Amino acid sequence: MGHYVQGRRKAGAVVVLTVVTVACWAAWLGWDLDAGVDADRLLGPYGWWQVVGCGLCLLVVAGAAGRWLPSAEIAWTVTFAFTLAFATGALLLPGRQPGMALGTIPVFFATFAGTAAVACAAEVFWTRHLHSPDDPATCFKGRR
């Protein structure tokens, strides 16, 4: 793991990644806490464009973080920070709808899957661009 930050700088990078992840949630989803009702059918509070925008934002963040952190740390940091922000938002919804709280489970797995894939690709990209094109990057294990 030669090109990754270490020690206090690594802890700082994880904190920055956490803050940026929560900021993505706040910018795209955190402000919209009004659940819509259409013909007595409860809709989620988010528009499709908010979910897509937030997802793309998180993927860009995960890719950029690959410059400083290994893929496993990126995936777990983004997943826990985003899921916690989402769960907090669900608790703040008027009426605290059970569907939103249960939605935390698929949010956790989808966030992990997406960020893990992008973080792994970013690890390969950054390893090859910061070292040798022949330098092997192994996702979720660091460099050998």
Side-chain angles (χ1 to χ4, degrees):
M1 294 202 282
H3 74 276
Y4 300 122
V5 295
Q6 299 297 322
R8 289 175 51 193
R9 292 184 70 203
K10 184 177 195 174
V14 169
V15 168
V16 168
L17 180 58
T18 301
V19 169
V20 171
T21 298
V22 172
C24 283
W25 171 82
W28 288 99
L29 307 174
W31 55 270
D32 192 357
L33 298 176
D34 295 326
V37 176
D38 181 26
D40 295 333
R41 188 176 136 234
L42 183 63
L43 303 174
Y46 310 126
W48 67 268
W49 58 274
Q50 290 172 280
V51 175
V52 170
C54 188
L56 291 174
C57 182
L58 289 175
L59 295 180
V60 168
V61 167
R67 168 66 178 85
W68 298 281
L69 294 168
S71 55
E73 290 179 26
I74 295 167
W76 288 116
T77 300
V78 171
T79 299
F80 282 116
F82 186 79
T83 303
L84 184 60
F86 180 86
T88 301
L91 290 174
L92 294 175
L93 282 173
R96 293 188 184 149
Q97 301 148 6
M100 285 297 292
L102 289 175
T104 302
I105 296 167
V107 164
F108 177 88
F109 288 108
T111 303
F112 183 79
T115 56
V118 170
C120 187
E123 183 172 322
V124 171
F125 174 83
W126 288 113
T127 298
R128 289 188 178 159
H129 282 80
L130 294 173
H131 297 286
S132 163
D134 299 326
D135 194 8
T138 55
C139 296
F140 286 86
K141 294 180 185 172
R143 293 174 1 116
R144 293 181 198 227

